[in-house]
Amino acid sequence: MCGIVAGVSGRDVVPVLVQGLQRLEYRGYDSCGVAVHQGGLKRARSTARVAELGEQVRLESVASGTGIAHTRWATHGAPAVHNAHPHFSHGPSHTSANGAAGRVALVHNGIIENHDELRAALQAKGYVFESQTDTEVIAHLIDSLYNGDVFAALQAAVAQLHGAYALAVFHKDEPHRVVGARAGSPLILGVGDGGKEHFLASDAMALAGVTDQIVYLEEGDLVDLQLGRYWVTDGQGRSFDPAQRP
Ligand code: GLU
């Protein structure tokens, strides 16, 4: 089980994401990657060290106020670039190979136990899979449930997942929004710059030097990060300020 870092800010979050992955390297990993909202979806993935991923994002000018990043410890599918996170959905009958741009970008820590059934149902709807991971089914599932609100799509998707997950997700049509979920894998929320920027991470250590204002999410929580605002929703669907958690 490895690492997630994600954020929404008015500044470029990619240096925070890459540095966060470096702080999570101690957990061990076999590949790493970062995806951002930059016009559409853009990503860099690597089976090399996080430092080399950092060089790759610099050379490829991957920069945005909205992004997600991951270090992977493969459970389903070999350690290879095409299995590295972030995963993209492309919509039914589209693959990146035929030029369709991605719609949903997603990172996941954990294991989805019912991935075979979900994959079969999504393939029947025309979704084309590009990896051997259990994770890619979640990206396509959220895509299939999307109706203009990525938080609502995530909420509907997690109701169909069996297993363990920490997730961070964004959609190409919602450029300043990252949503997340926690069940069986760790995920924390960091409030930075006096509430102007927000981050998700597997461990508060990933955000050292960025913020020490940490909100510890509970099992079953969903989170919705937007520019300068965030909400936490518990397993019963109640939204609240975590400081006032009942
Ligand atoms: N099960 C997922 C995979 O194999 C996520 C592994 C992880 O937690 O890093 O890609």
Side-chain angles (χ1 to χ4, degrees):
M1 195 151 304
C2 292
I4 286 176
V5 192
V8 178
S9 172
R11 63 170 167 145
D12 177 17
V13 291
V14 173
V16 175
L17 303 188
V18 171
Q19 190 186 59
L21 291 186
Q22 278 173 322
R23 292 183 186 276
L24 296 176
E25 278 188 308
Y26 76 94
R27 292 168 167 237
Y29 63 102
D30 51 55
S31 55
C32 50
V34 53
V36 297
H37 196 290
Q38 199 170 356
L41 307 190
K42 187 167 178 178
R43 73 182 162 192
R45 299 184 292 176
S46 175
T47 51
R49 311 282 302 169
V50 174
E52 285 163 61
L53 178 73
E55 186 59 11
Q56 198 176 328
V57 299
R58 199 182 60 76
L59 290 172
E60 294 171 13
S61 304
V62 177
S64 174
T66 300
I68 60 178
H70 188 261
T71 48
R72 176 175 188 238
W73 187 259
T75 66
H76 295 67
V81 169
H82 74 281
N83 285 328
H85 304 211
H87 289 284
F88 287 173
S89 77
H90 298 281
S93 308
H94 289 93
T95 66
S96 54
N98 68 15
R103 303 208 297 203
V104 171
L106 176 140
V107 292
H108 165 225
N109 279 160
I111 292 175
I112 301 306
E113 277 149 20
N114 58 334
H115 65 97
D116 281 336
E117 300 96 275
L118 292 171
R119 185 179 298 103
L122 289 159
Q123 281 171 330
K125 288 185 180 160
Y127 283 92
V128 176
F129 285 75
E130 299 181 334
S131 80
Q132 285 77 48
T133 63
D134 52 336
T135 299
E136 192 181 359
V137 300
I138 319 172
H140 294 314
L141 182 61
I142 293 171
D143 185 295
S144 73
L145 295 165
Y146 186 75
N147 196 8
D149 180 343
V150 71
F151 184 81
L154 174 69
Q155 204 165 24
V158 297
Q160 297 187 38
L161 300 180
H162 301 160
Y165 50 84
L167 299 170
V169 187
F170 66 92
H171 192 282
K172 78 162 179 43
D173 292 343
E174 297 179 84
H176 306 292
R177 191 178 198 187
V178 169
V179 297
R182 180 196 161 171
S185 297
L187 194 67
I188 60 100
L189 191 159
V191 180
D193 194 17
K196 292 205 201 70
E197 56 183 19
H198 296 97
F199 299 95
L200 296 175
S202 305
D203 186 324
M205 192 195 295
L207 301 178
V210 179
T211 181
D212 55 9
Q213 199 182 329
I214 303 296
V215 175
Y216 289 91
L217 300 171
E218 295 187 1
E219 284 292 293
D221 280 355
L222 301 178
V223 290
D224 186 350
L225 309 186
Q226 298 183 25
L227 256 189
R229 303 185 289 181
Y230 75 93
W231 292 266
V232 175
T233 301
D234 69 10
Q236 276 71 52
R238 293 175 298 215
S239 295
F240 51 86
D241 174 350
Q244 315 289 328
R245 183 185 283 270

